[in-house]
Amino acid sequence: MPPTTARRTTTQRGLGWRHQQAVDTLKRQLVDGTPCWWCTRPMYRDAGRNFDERQLQGDHSKSRAMGGVVTDRLLHAKCNGERGDGSRDHLRPALTGQPVEEGQAADDRSAWCLLTGW
């Protein structure tokens, strides 16, 4: 059996108490039905009302991969996953009117490496 690695905690991933407090504040300030920055679908505090039926997640306008540290908006959990490190922001459905395709939502650095010969 392959060795299993322990899943890192939110604090270990840089999403500790301050991040959680910021998300809680954003959720308290949310007006139900506010459009999601990524997909424009309405966001709700009640997870069951969101299209992905999951809790909203905190997001960083300047992604953490680019040095961002401020949790300044909420996104649907699915949308936050599709956004990833922010490198696909130009593909967001709010701009294109099209859903992000599975291949686009995945980490596409491997395709870039193939194209550049890395």
mmCIF file of all heavy atoms in Angstrom, residues 1 3 6 13 17-19 24 26 33 35 38 46 49 54 58-60 64 69-70 78 86-87 92-93 99 112-113:
data_model
loop_
_atom_site.group_PDB
_atom_site.id
_atom_site.type_symbol
_atom_site.label_atom_id
_atom_site.label_comp_id
_atom_site.label_asym_id
_atom_site.label_seq_id
_atom_site.Cartn_x
_atom_site.Cartn_y
_atom_site.Cartn_z
ATOM 1 N N MET A 1 0.841 -1.172 0.000
ATOM 2 C CA MET A 1 0.000 0.000 0.000
ATOM 3 C C MET A 1 0.894 1.247 0.000
ATOM 4 O O MET A 1 1.823 1.330 0.780
ATOM 5 C CB MET A 1 -0.873 -0.040 1.249
ATOM 6 C CG MET A 1 -2.140 0.708 1.102
ATOM 7 S SD MET A 1 -2.931 0.761 2.725
ATOM 8 C CE MET A 1 -4.449 0.071 2.394
ATOM 9 N N PRO A 3 2.370 4.933 0.799
ATOM 10 C CA PRO A 3 2.260 5.743 2.018
ATOM 11 C C PRO A 3 1.289 6.900 1.809
ATOM 12 O O PRO A 3 1.201 7.460 0.725
ATOM 13 C CB PRO A 3 3.684 6.246 2.255
ATOM 14 C CG PRO A 3 4.365 6.120 0.944
ATOM 15 C CD PRO A 3 3.670 5.016 0.186
ATOM 16 N N ALA A 6 -0.391 13.158 5.281
ATOM 17 C CA ALA A 6 -1.426 13.829 6.056
ATOM 18 C C ALA A 6 -1.859 15.098 5.346
ATOM 19 O O ALA A 6 -1.025 15.826 4.801
ATOM 20 C CB ALA A 6 -0.906 14.154 7.447
ATOM 21 N N ARG A 13 -1.766 25.788 5.504
ATOM 22 C CA ARG A 13 -1.888 26.276 4.131
ATOM 23 C C ARG A 13 -1.977 27.799 4.058
ATOM 24 O O ARG A 13 -2.192 28.358 2.993
ATOM 25 C CB ARG A 13 -3.124 25.660 3.465
ATOM 26 C CG ARG A 13 -2.956 24.178 3.184
ATOM 27 C CD ARG A 13 -4.146 23.608 2.457
ATOM 28 N NE ARG A 13 -5.281 23.513 3.372
ATOM 29 C CZ ARG A 13 -6.544 23.697 3.014
ATOM 30 N NH1 ARG A 13 -6.871 24.007 1.790
ATOM 31 N NH2 ARG A 13 -7.508 23.576 3.905
ATOM 32 N N TRP A 17 -6.540 31.632 11.400
ATOM 33 C CA TRP A 17 -7.556 32.378 12.122
ATOM 34 C C TRP A 17 -7.942 33.672 11.423
ATOM 35 O O TRP A 17 -9.125 33.979 11.286
ATOM 36 C CB TRP A 17 -7.044 32.664 13.546
ATOM 37 C CG TRP A 17 -8.056 33.319 14.408
ATOM 38 C CD1 TRP A 17 -9.060 32.714 15.103
ATOM 39 C CD2 TRP A 17 -8.182 34.721 14.673
ATOM 40 N NE1 TRP A 17 -9.798 33.644 15.779
ATOM 41 C CE2 TRP A 17 -9.276 34.895 15.533
ATOM 42 C CE3 TRP A 17 -7.457 35.837 14.260
ATOM 43 C CZ2 TRP A 17 -9.680 36.132 15.992
ATOM 44 C CZ3 TRP A 17 -7.851 37.075 14.722
ATOM 45 C CH2 TRP A 17 -8.951 37.220 15.570
ATOM 46 N N ARG A 18 -6.965 34.445 10.956
ATOM 47 C CA ARG A 18 -7.283 35.733 10.293
ATOM 48 C C ARG A 18 -8.126 35.509 9.045
ATOM 49 O O ARG A 18 -9.078 36.248 8.788
ATOM 50 C CB ARG A 18 -6.007 36.487 9.943
ATOM 51 C CG ARG A 18 -5.366 37.129 11.117
ATOM 52 C CD ARG A 18 -4.230 38.030 10.707
ATOM 53 N NE ARG A 18 -3.642 38.628 11.891
ATOM 54 C CZ ARG A 18 -2.376 38.943 12.000
ATOM 55 N NH1 ARG A 18 -1.554 38.717 11.011
ATOM 56 N NH2 ARG A 18 -1.919 39.481 13.112
ATOM 57 N N HIS A 19 -7.761 34.519 8.262
ATOM 58 C CA HIS A 19 -8.530 34.203 7.052
ATOM 59 C C HIS A 19 -9.954 33.811 7.427
ATOM 60 O O HIS A 19 -10.921 34.296 6.831
ATOM 61 C CB HIS A 19 -7.842 33.073 6.283
ATOM 62 C CG HIS A 19 -8.643 32.566 5.120
ATOM 63 N ND1 HIS A 19 -8.693 33.224 3.919
ATOM 64 C CD2 HIS A 19 -9.445 31.483 4.986
ATOM 65 C CE1 HIS A 19 -9.476 32.558 3.092
ATOM 66 N NE2 HIS A 19 -9.950 31.501 3.718
ATOM 67 N N ASP A 24 -15.775 34.990 7.789
ATOM 68 C CA ASP A 24 -16.969 35.167 8.628
ATOM 69 C C ASP A 24 -17.536 36.585 8.477
ATOM 70 O O ASP A 24 -18.750 36.772 8.364
ATOM 71 C CB ASP A 24 -16.658 34.888 10.097
ATOM 72 C CG ASP A 24 -16.445 33.408 10.383
ATOM 73 O OD1 ASP A 24 -16.798 32.572 9.526
ATOM 74 O OD2 ASP A 24 -15.906 33.098 11.466
ATOM 75 N N LEU A 26 -17.124 38.639 5.886
ATOM 76 C CA LEU A 26 -17.688 38.764 4.537
ATOM 77 C C LEU A 26 -19.058 38.094 4.445
ATOM 78 O O LEU A 26 -19.976 38.617 3.815
ATOM 79 C CB LEU A 26 -16.733 38.177 3.500
ATOM 80 C CG LEU A 26 -15.452 38.963 3.251
ATOM 81 C CD1 LEU A 26 -14.455 38.135 2.448
ATOM 82 C CD2 LEU A 26 -15.753 40.275 2.544
ATOM 83 N N GLY A 33 -28.105 36.741 -2.625
ATOM 84 C CA GLY A 33 -28.400 36.977 -4.029
ATOM 85 C C GLY A 33 -27.327 37.797 -4.743
ATOM 86 O O GLY A 33 -27.398 37.979 -5.955
ATOM 87 N N PRO A 35 -24.282 38.629 -6.872
ATOM 88 C CA PRO A 35 -23.662 37.783 -7.890
ATOM 89 C C PRO A 35 -22.202 37.444 -7.564
ATOM 90 O O PRO A 35 -21.457 38.272 -7.051
ATOM 91 C CB PRO A 35 -23.746 38.613 -9.177
ATOM 92 C CG PRO A 35 -24.184 39.963 -8.781
ATOM 93 C CD PRO A 35 -24.626 39.952 -7.367
ATOM 94 N N TRP A 38 -16.949 35.297 -10.120
ATOM 95 C CA TRP A 38 -16.467 34.336 -11.116
ATOM 96 C C TRP A 38 -17.554 33.971 -12.129
ATOM 97 O O TRP A 38 -17.322 34.004 -13.323
ATOM 98 C CB TRP A 38 -15.944 33.077 -10.422
ATOM 99 C CG TRP A 38 -15.406 32.044 -11.363
ATOM 100 C CD1 TRP A 38 -16.053 30.951 -11.842
ATOM 101 C CD2 TRP A 38 -14.107 32.024 -11.953
ATOM 102 N NE1 TRP A 38 -15.242 30.241 -12.681
ATOM 103 C CE2 TRP A 38 -14.030 30.886 -12.770
ATOM 104 C CE3 TRP A 38 -12.995 32.859 -11.868
ATOM 105 C CZ2 TRP A 38 -12.900 30.552 -13.496
ATOM 106 C CZ3 TRP A 38 -11.861 32.530 -12.591
ATOM 107 C CH2 TRP A 38 -11.820 31.389 -13.395
ATOM 108 N N ASP A 46 -26.854 30.413 3.076
ATOM 109 C CA ASP A 46 -27.336 29.039 3.212
ATOM 110 C C ASP A 46 -26.784 28.206 2.053
ATOM 111 O O ASP A 46 -27.152 28.412 0.899
ATOM 112 C CB ASP A 46 -28.866 29.032 3.196
ATOM 113 C CG ASP A 46 -29.475 27.643 3.239
ATOM 114 O OD1 ASP A 46 -28.752 26.662 3.518
ATOM 115 O OD2 ASP A 46 -30.689 27.538 2.992
ATOM 116 N N ARG A 49 -28.825 26.762 -0.892
ATOM 117 C CA ARG A 49 -29.367 27.649 -1.929
ATOM 118 C C ARG A 49 -28.352 27.963 -3.019
ATOM 119 O O ARG A 49 -28.720 28.456 -4.084
ATOM 120 C CB ARG A 49 -29.864 28.951 -1.301
ATOM 121 C CG ARG A 49 -31.068 28.733 -0.377
ATOM 122 C CD ARG A 49 -31.611 30.017 0.145
ATOM 123 N NE ARG A 49 -32.207 30.811 -0.936
ATOM 124 C CZ ARG A 49 -32.563 32.081 -0.824
ATOM 125 N NH1 ARG A 49 -32.412 32.701 0.337
ATOM 126 N NH2 ARG A 49 -33.081 32.733 -1.838
ATOM 127 N N ARG A 54 -22.785 24.148 -1.649
ATOM 128 C CA ARG A 54 -21.664 24.162 -0.714
ATOM 129 C C ARG A 54 -21.545 25.542 -0.096
ATOM 130 O O ARG A 54 -22.067 26.527 -0.624
ATOM 131 C CB ARG A 54 -20.374 23.793 -1.447
ATOM 132 C CG ARG A 54 -20.397 22.354 -1.964
ATOM 133 C CD ARG A 54 -19.287 22.026 -2.908
ATOM 134 N NE ARG A 54 -17.970 22.181 -2.289
ATOM 135 C CZ ARG A 54 -16.844 22.195 -2.991
ATOM 136 N NH1 ARG A 54 -16.862 22.070 -4.302
ATOM 137 N NH2 ARG A 54 -15.687 22.335 -2.379
ATOM 138 N N GLY A 58 -13.858 32.095 1.041
ATOM 139 C CA GLY A 58 -13.133 33.348 0.918
ATOM 140 C C GLY A 58 -12.133 33.266 -0.220
ATOM 141 O O GLY A 58 -11.535 32.215 -0.470
ATOM 142 N N ASP A 59 -11.972 34.377 -0.920
ATOM 143 C CA ASP A 59 -11.037 34.430 -2.048
ATOM 144 C C ASP A 59 -10.173 35.669 -1.899
ATOM 145 O O ASP A 59 -10.537 36.627 -1.218
ATOM 146 C CB ASP A 59 -11.829 34.480 -3.371
ATOM 147 C CG ASP A 59 -10.931 34.449 -4.591
ATOM 148 O OD1 ASP A 59 -10.006 33.614 -4.622
ATOM 149 O OD2 ASP A 59 -11.139 35.259 -5.499
ATOM 150 N N HIS A 60 -9.039 35.641 -2.542
ATOM 151 C CA HIS A 60 -8.095 36.762 -2.545
ATOM 152 C C HIS A 60 -8.081 37.356 -3.955
ATOM 153 O O HIS A 60 -7.730 36.655 -4.902
ATOM 154 C CB HIS A 60 -6.688 36.266 -2.202
ATOM 155 C CG HIS A 60 -6.610 35.536 -0.903
ATOM 156 N ND1 HIS A 60 -7.065 34.245 -0.737
ATOM 157 C CD2 HIS A 60 -6.130 35.928 0.295
ATOM 158 C CE1 HIS A 60 -6.858 33.872 0.510
ATOM 159 N NE2 HIS A 60 -6.295 34.868 1.166
ATOM 160 N N ARG A 64 -3.134 34.159 -3.708
ATOM 161 C CA ARG A 64 -2.052 33.825 -2.781
ATOM 162 C C ARG A 64 -0.804 33.411 -3.548
ATOM 163 O O ARG A 64 0.310 33.672 -3.109
ATOM 164 C CB ARG A 64 -2.517 32.708 -1.840
ATOM 165 C CG ARG A 64 -3.590 33.202 -0.888
ATOM 166 C CD ARG A 64 -4.198 32.124 -0.009
ATOM 167 N NE ARG A 64 -3.191 31.308 0.618
ATOM 168 C CZ ARG A 64 -3.213 29.973 0.625
ATOM 169 N NH1 ARG A 64 -4.186 29.322 0.036
ATOM 170 N NH2 ARG A 64 -2.281 29.301 1.238
ATOM 171 N N VAL A 69 -2.508 38.416 0.316
ATOM 172 C CA VAL A 69 -2.736 37.981 1.694
ATOM 173 C C VAL A 69 -4.108 38.406 2.219
ATOM 174 O O VAL A 69 -4.509 37.985 3.294
ATOM 175 C CB VAL A 69 -1.635 38.512 2.650
ATOM 176 C CG1 VAL A 69 -0.294 37.892 2.312
ATOM 177 C CG2 VAL A 69 -1.562 40.018 2.626
ATOM 178 N N VAL A 70 -4.831 39.230 1.474
ATOM 179 C CA VAL A 70 -6.102 39.771 1.942
ATOM 180 C C VAL A 70 -7.265 38.966 1.364
ATOM 181 O O VAL A 70 -7.408 38.852 0.147
ATOM 182 C CB VAL A 70 -6.253 41.265 1.545
ATOM 183 C CG1 VAL A 70 -7.594 41.805 1.984
ATOM 184 C CG2 VAL A 70 -5.115 42.083 2.124
ATOM 185 N N LYS A 78 -17.162 25.889 -5.847
ATOM 186 C CA LYS A 78 -16.801 25.400 -7.187
ATOM 187 C C LYS A 78 -16.053 26.473 -7.963
ATOM 188 O O LYS A 78 -15.057 26.197 -8.625
ATOM 189 C CB LYS A 78 -18.044 24.952 -7.950
ATOM 190 C CG LYS A 78 -17.753 24.374 -9.328
ATOM 191 C CD LYS A 78 -19.023 23.884 -9.975
ATOM 192 C CE LYS A 78 -18.864 23.136 -11.270
ATOM 193 N NZ LYS A 78 -17.820 23.490 -12.155
ATOM 194 N N GLY A 86 -5.471 31.925 -10.015
ATOM 195 C CA GLY A 86 -5.779 33.187 -10.682
ATOM 196 C C GLY A 86 -5.294 33.266 -12.116
ATOM 197 O O GLY A 86 -5.592 34.220 -12.822
ATOM 198 N N SER A 87 -4.582 32.246 -12.569
ATOM 199 C CA SER A 87 -4.029 32.291 -13.928
ATOM 200 C C SER A 87 -5.098 32.120 -15.006
ATOM 201 O O SER A 87 -4.833 32.371 -16.176
ATOM 202 C CB SER A 87 -2.942 31.223 -14.095
ATOM 203 O OG SER A 87 -3.492 29.923 -13.955
ATOM 204 N N ARG A 92 -13.002 33.264 -16.894
ATOM 205 C CA ARG A 92 -14.161 33.166 -15.997
ATOM 206 C C ARG A 92 -15.459 33.383 -16.776
ATOM 207 O O ARG A 92 -15.549 34.224 -17.672
ATOM 208 C CB ARG A 92 -14.035 34.117 -14.819
ATOM 209 C CG ARG A 92 -14.084 35.577 -15.132
ATOM 210 C CD ARG A 92 -13.786 36.396 -13.868
ATOM 211 N NE ARG A 92 -13.619 37.789 -14.185
ATOM 212 C CZ ARG A 92 -14.452 38.742 -13.843
ATOM 213 N NH1 ARG A 92 -15.524 38.470 -13.136
ATOM 214 N NH2 ARG A 92 -14.225 39.986 -14.189
ATOM 215 N N PRO A 93 -16.466 32.586 -16.433
ATOM 216 C CA PRO A 93 -17.751 32.659 -17.129
ATOM 217 C C PRO A 93 -18.381 34.051 -17.122
ATOM 218 O O PRO A 93 -19.099 34.402 -18.057
ATOM 219 C CB PRO A 93 -18.618 31.655 -16.371
ATOM 220 C CG PRO A 93 -17.642 30.686 -15.809
ATOM 221 C CD PRO A 93 -16.431 31.493 -15.465
ATOM 222 N N PRO A 99 -19.017 28.244 -19.632
ATOM 223 C CA PRO A 99 -18.455 27.577 -18.452
ATOM 224 C C PRO A 99 -16.990 27.217 -18.703
ATOM 225 O O PRO A 99 -16.573 27.025 -19.847
ATOM 226 C CB PRO A 99 -19.307 26.320 -18.303
ATOM 227 C CG PRO A 99 -19.902 26.084 -19.647
ATOM 228 C CD PRO A 99 -20.013 27.433 -20.311
ATOM 229 N N TRP A 112 1.590 23.631 -20.858
ATOM 230 C CA TRP A 112 2.510 24.715 -21.196
ATOM 231 C C TRP A 112 3.934 24.165 -21.319
ATOM 232 O O TRP A 112 4.658 24.511 -22.230
ATOM 233 C CB TRP A 112 2.456 25.795 -20.119
ATOM 234 C CG TRP A 112 3.396 26.914 -20.364
ATOM 235 C CD1 TRP A 112 3.189 28.005 -21.160
ATOM 236 C CD2 TRP A 112 4.709 27.070 -19.824
ATOM 237 N NE1 TRP A 112 4.286 28.826 -21.144
ATOM 238 C CE2 TRP A 112 5.240 28.284 -20.327
ATOM 239 C CE3 TRP A 112 5.494 26.322 -18.963
ATOM 240 C CZ2 TRP A 112 6.502 28.737 -19.999
ATOM 241 C CZ3 TRP A 112 6.750 26.778 -18.639
ATOM 242 C CH2 TRP A 112 7.245 27.970 -19.160
ATOM 243 N N CYS A 113 4.307 23.264 -20.400
ATOM 244 C CA CYS A 113 5.647 22.683 -20.445
ATOM 245 C C CYS A 113 5.834 21.888 -21.728
ATOM 246 O O CYS A 113 6.911 21.920 -22.332
ATOM 247 C CB CYS A 113 5.886 21.780 -19.238
ATOM 248 S SG CYS A 113 5.999 22.715 -17.688
#
